[in-house]
Amino acid sequence: MCGIFGYVGPGDAVSIVINGLKKLEYRGYDSAGIAGVKNGQLKYAKEVGKLSVLEKEVQDQGLRFDIAIGHTRWATHGVPTKINAHPHLDTNHTLAVVHNGIIENHESLRSALKQKGVKFVSDTDTEVVAHLIASFYQGDLLEAFRQTVGLLKGAFAIAVVHKDFPDRILVTANQCPLVVGVGNNEAFIASDSHALAKHTREVFFISDAEIAVVTADKVEVFDAKHEPISKELMTLAYEAESIEKGSYAHFTLKEIHEQPQAIRNAMGSRFVEEYGSVTFEELKFDINDLIGVQRILILGCGSSYHAGLLGSYMLEDLARIPTQVEIASEFRYRNPIVKSGTLIIAISQSGETADTIAAVKEVRAKGTKVLAICNVQGSTLTRESDGCIFLRAGPEIGVCSTKGFTTQVVVLALLTVLLARMRHMSKQEGQDFLHHLQKLPDQVQQVLNNSAQFEKLAKKYANYDSAFFIGRRYMFPTSLEGALKLKEISYINSSGYAAGEMKHGPIALLNPKCPVFALCANKTTFSKLESNLREVKSRGSPLVAIAEEGLNHLGGIPDDIIRVPETIDELEPILVTVATQLLAYYIANERGADIDQPRNLAKSVTVE
Ligand code: M6R
């Protein structure tokens, strides 16, 4: 949450930073600011609202900098106001600080500074950092920064510029992402490597407690003991175009439409068709670690948790491995029981979700190995795990997870085949499953080709205030995901429910003003679901069925039917999810919602 971008070099620092922040706006968008140095003076601008407001202000003021740092905020401490927006400055405006994360001990630091006569202007935890550096500064910025960082507790990424040092940005990070990009006589800092793709592919991440002095031609890095260290550069895999909207109205729509290719990439080169099995070349797990797995525990948040639920169904059904799924934010505080023989799978699109990372640290401290399923190279989760399988979905910018979710399910399906083939799944069964997977990208395309129907239905269902998504077996986690998508981007109060649970309470809410989206694509339980559909209908709720093409027993119950191609029950969630994504997208669009940047949300939830 919150985005930091900084630039040192001969280019136009203001426009480079503003454009960099545009790539990070999905991380927070309630206010934004920029600060930099020109002719020995520190100047800044901050504005409430989207980055476009700041961009206009910067243009109106004609700001020009030699170096600059910028920030786009998702408020934690202090409401979104101009004063609380970053950068934060010391009293004499000698230095400016941008910060992502939370300084947990800011209250005590603030009191100590106040006792020394420092006057605070904002409600933020960040402002203490600016005043602390100023209080320690005696001509050596690095030393003042070191002393300050030594006092901070919490998860943070921080960047500082000072009027006396117009050639450098100082940065540090602790449990928060911060990447340094190295160009040709120029350097960049960013909260997310995607934001650097236009400028450089050569990057490294700041690890916990490291401090770096970033200048155009040299980056010096120091470890927690202040010893100089050398960092290995990694080369980013993606193209700058992959983080442009292109002709799409929203990133979310673009990413929904990218799913056939994203799924192809997630599967590409991983099939071992001859043996009906799967291989993950990047997975550095010992084969015996996988053969010996007796239990699986999956951790994740939001959509990643829903993907984990689907994974657990597949792993139990096909690999016959008992699998538990936990919401990471709950799990981390439970002093969990983790028996030997348990494989932990941590799922996160961004690899930066604070709760998932904390849960991973907790189980690793107990001596258990963690396998990450993640989309972002070099992200914290990939560095905190024992092995990683990448989604290969390409950058996901829209706040709601779309191709991130479906590729997570694909990777979990592949992992299921691998583990099942190590157990009792026959070669033929493995090959059959892979065959169904292979057909998925074209089947997803078929759903996408039906967009006009979704647009039409959206007009009919856009004006309700609440809705249910119901389903059984594989369609239950799918209903949770469908409801999350709709509520997140359209602000309709939607809930996902196991269809059989409706009569244990939620059915009381059904009435003609509350539509129900019934996910009917689970063959093994359809006859049971049919009774649930009748129960819904007799309470007067408008009923939309999402059903496989071959399912002909809907008997005129639903008001509307959306058809998706037929596949096996395990993979049907992917096709139905694409349908619910399109439905949510067009309903949100119909309601005029801010689809890529829904209110109160941010893409990577890097705070608790
Ligand atoms: O990056 P992660 O997969 O760890 O993110 C987890 C959730 O924050 C995320 O899935 C969130 O629920 C999405 N906005 C859902 O669309």
Side-chain angles (χ1 to χ4, degrees):
M1 291 176 151
C2 300
I4 293 175
F5 197 95
Y7 175 71
V8 197
D12 174 1
V14 172
S15 70
I16 292 172
V17 168
I18 294 281
N19 286 325
L21 290 178
K22 283 183 187 166
K23 303 276 179 272
L24 296 171
E25 204 176 7
Y26 66 87
R27 298 177 68 90
Y29 30 82
D30 56 45
S31 52
I34 185 169
V37 182
K38 183 85 189 164
N39 302 330
Q41 278 198 314
L42 187 105
K43 292 235 165 77
Y44 70 96
K46 319 196 221 187
E47 290 298 327
V48 175
K50 295 269 180 111
L51 197 58
S52 50
V53 186
L54 176 73
E55 190 175 18
K56 182 165 180 315
E57 176 61 22
V58 164
Q59 276 162 6
D60 291 352
Q61 280 193 35
L63 277 184
R64 282 267 164 279
F65 296 133
D66 293 329
I67 54 165
I69 51 175
H71 188 267
T72 174
R73 181 170 186 245
W74 186 87
T76 56
H77 293 67
V79 293
T81 59
K82 207 162 163 167
I83 284 181
N84 287 335
H86 299 214
H88 288 280
L89 281 72
D90 64 317
T91 309
N92 296 325
H93 290 198
T94 61
L95 63 92
V97 171
V98 290
H99 160 224
N100 170 16
I102 293 177
I103 314 280
E104 284 167 5
N105 58 336
H106 75 104
E107 294 282 11
S108 58
L109 295 170
R110 181 182 272 255
S111 313
L113 285 162
K114 275 186 176 168
Q115 275 171 16
K116 289 185 190 159
V118 174
K119 297 238 176 328
F120 280 79
V121 294
S122 77
D123 304 320
T124 65
D125 50 344
T126 310
E127 197 183 340
V128 296
V129 181
H131 292 304
L132 278 173
I133 301 172
S135 74
F136 290 126
Y137 181 66
Q138 290 181 338
D140 185 342
L141 182 60
L142 178 58
E143 185 50 34
F145 191 48
R146 271 179 185 150
Q147 291 185 43
T148 301
V149 173
L151 295 177
L152 305 179
K153 292 199 168 57
F156 47 79
I158 296 171
V160 185
V161 290
H162 192 290
K163 73 177 182 54
D164 297 345
F165 296 90
D167 66 339
R168 64 195 57 196
I169 302 173
L170 270 58
V171 296
T172 190
N174 194 49
Q175 297 171 41
C176 257
L178 195 72
V179 60
V180 177
V182 179
N184 187 11
N185 195 33
E186 57 182 358
F188 309 81
I189 57 157
S191 302
D192 187 326
S193 55
H194 299 155
L196 300 178
K198 190 177 160 204
H199 303 286
T200 178
R201 299 245 192 120
E202 303 299 307
V203 305
F204 69 86
F205 287 82
I206 302 285
S207 301
D208 286 357
E210 288 175 356
I211 289 179
V213 180
V214 182
T215 58
D217 57 357
K218 185 168 69 168
V219 183
E220 291 175 288
V221 187
F222 302 90
D223 66 12
K225 294 184 188 134
H226 309 320
E227 297 295 332
I229 51 170
S230 63
K231 300 278 286 189
E232 214 168 297
L233 289 178
M234 58 188 278
T235 305
L236 297 177
Y238 31 76
E239 306 291 337
E241 302 76 61
S242 61
I243 48 172
E244 302 294 337
K245 255 192 301 207
S247 57
Y248 288 94
H250 296 97
F251 277 109
T252 304
L253 187 61
K254 176 180 179 237
E255 287 156 8
I256 290 172
H257 279 268
E258 281 172 349
Q259 288 176 111
Q261 190 54 42
I263 291 172
R264 259 182 219 113
N265 295 346
M267 298 190 300
S269 76
R270 286 172 167 168
F271 285 14
V272 188
E273 284 187 79
E274 195 186 346
Y275 298 109
S277 189
V278 160
T279 180
F280 299 103
E281 62 186 25
E282 71 272 45
L283 183 59
K284 303 287 177 257
F285 264 45
D286 186 331
I287 195 85
N288 293 317
D289 286 339
L290 297 178
I291 291 174
V293 171
Q294 290 163 23
R295 268 172 303 278
I296 294 176
L297 169 61
I298 302 181
L299 302 169
C301 298
S303 292
S304 296
Y305 167 72
H306 298 157
L309 287 174
L310 289 168
S312 74
Y313 284 29
M314 287 189 276
L315 286 159
E316 292 205 340
D317 282 351
L318 303 177
R320 305 301 295 156
I321 305 174
T323 305
Q324 184 187 340
V325 193
E326 298 281 349
I327 295 171
S329 57
E330 283 298 310
F331 178 83
R332 60 182 289 194
Y333 290 113
R334 285 211 338 240
N335 187 18
I337 302 163
V338 185
K339 293 196 180 154
S340 69
T342 305
L343 171 68
I344 311 283
I345 302 177
I347 308 178
S348 171
Q349 187 284 131
S350 63
E352 301 297 350
T353 299
D355 285 318
T356 308
I357 291 163
V360 162
K361 286 185 176 166
E362 172 62 19
V363 287
R364 281 186 97 202
K366 289 176 184 284
T368 314
K369 284 204 170 177
V370 174
L371 163 59
I373 296 180
C374 187
N375 196 30
V376 181
Q377 263 186 311
S379 58
T380 309
L381 179 65
T382 64
R383 288 178 278 130
E384 292 289 344
S385 304
D386 299 280
C388 181
I389 303 176
F390 286 100
L391 300 179
R392 302 172 175 172
E396 190 179 68
I397 308 295
V399 163
C400 77
S401 180
T402 51
K403 60 179 180 172
F405 174 80
T406 48
T407 52
Q408 283 167 345
V409 180
V410 167
V411 164
L412 284 160
L414 294 174
L415 184 64
T416 301
V417 174
L418 175 67
L419 292 170
R421 285 287 289 128
M422 287 174 172
R423 290 162 177 80
H424 58 267
M425 181 185 257
S426 70
K427 182 170 108 178
Q428 186 60 49
E429 286 166 335
Q431 286 171 334
D432 288 348
F433 194 91
L434 295 183
H435 177 67
H436 288 293
L437 268 169
Q438 227 149 16
K439 291 203 289 193
L440 266 183
D442 290 342
Q443 293 180 315
V444 169
Q445 190 59 54
Q446 273 177 260
V447 181
L448 296 171
N449 292 347
N450 205 9
S451 289
Q453 188 195 2
F454 292 95
E455 254 185 288
K456 198 166 153 211
L457 278 178
K459 291 191 196 315
K460 186 169 170 188
Y461 290 98
N463 293 320
Y464 291 93
D465 291 330
S466 60
F468 277 98
F469 285 72
I470 59 169
R472 284 173 176 259
R473 293 274 296 143
Y474 286 90
M475 288 297 118
F476 166 50
T478 314
S479 75
L480 298 178
E481 178 61 10
L484 176 61
K485 262 351 47 137
L486 186 65
K487 83 177 88 175
E488 185 175 26
I489 60 173
S490 75
Y491 315 141
I492 292 174
N493 185 358
S494 49
S495 309
Y497 253 93
E501 272 291 293
M502 287 299 281
K503 52 175 116 35
H504 299 285
I507 203 165
L509 294 173
L510 295 189
N511 66 59
K513 291 187 176 158
C514 178
V516 174
F517 298 94
L519 312 186
C520 306
N522 196 76
K523 293 180 238 340
T524 52
T525 51
F526 180 71
S527 58
K528 301 285 172 202
L529 184 70
E530 200 177 344
S531 330
N532 302 134
L533 300 190
R534 292 186 193 285
E535 288 155 14
V536 166
K537 215 40 215 153
S538 54
R539 268 74 191 175
S541 282
L543 182 64
V544 182
I546 303 184
E548 284 173 307
E549 270 149 11
L551 184 69
N552 294 321
H553 324 293
L554 288 163
I557 316 170
D559 299 286
D560 291 289
I561 302 177
I562 295 167
R563 294 288 180 182
V564 292
E566 197 174 340
T567 182
I568 49 176
D569 279 2
E570 292 83 349
L571 301 180
E572 202 63 69
I574 293 173
L575 301 174
V576 173
T577 294
V578 176
T580 58
Q581 290 168 355
L582 285 169
L583 205 52
Y585 174 83
Y586 285 113
I587 288 178
N589 206 31
E590 200 57 39
R591 292 164 69 96
D594 191 348
I595 295 177
D596 282 341
Q597 294 169 345
R599 69 181 177 216
N600 304 337
L601 292 176
K603 182 72 180 161
S604 316
V605 185
T606 55
V607 293
E608 262 198 86

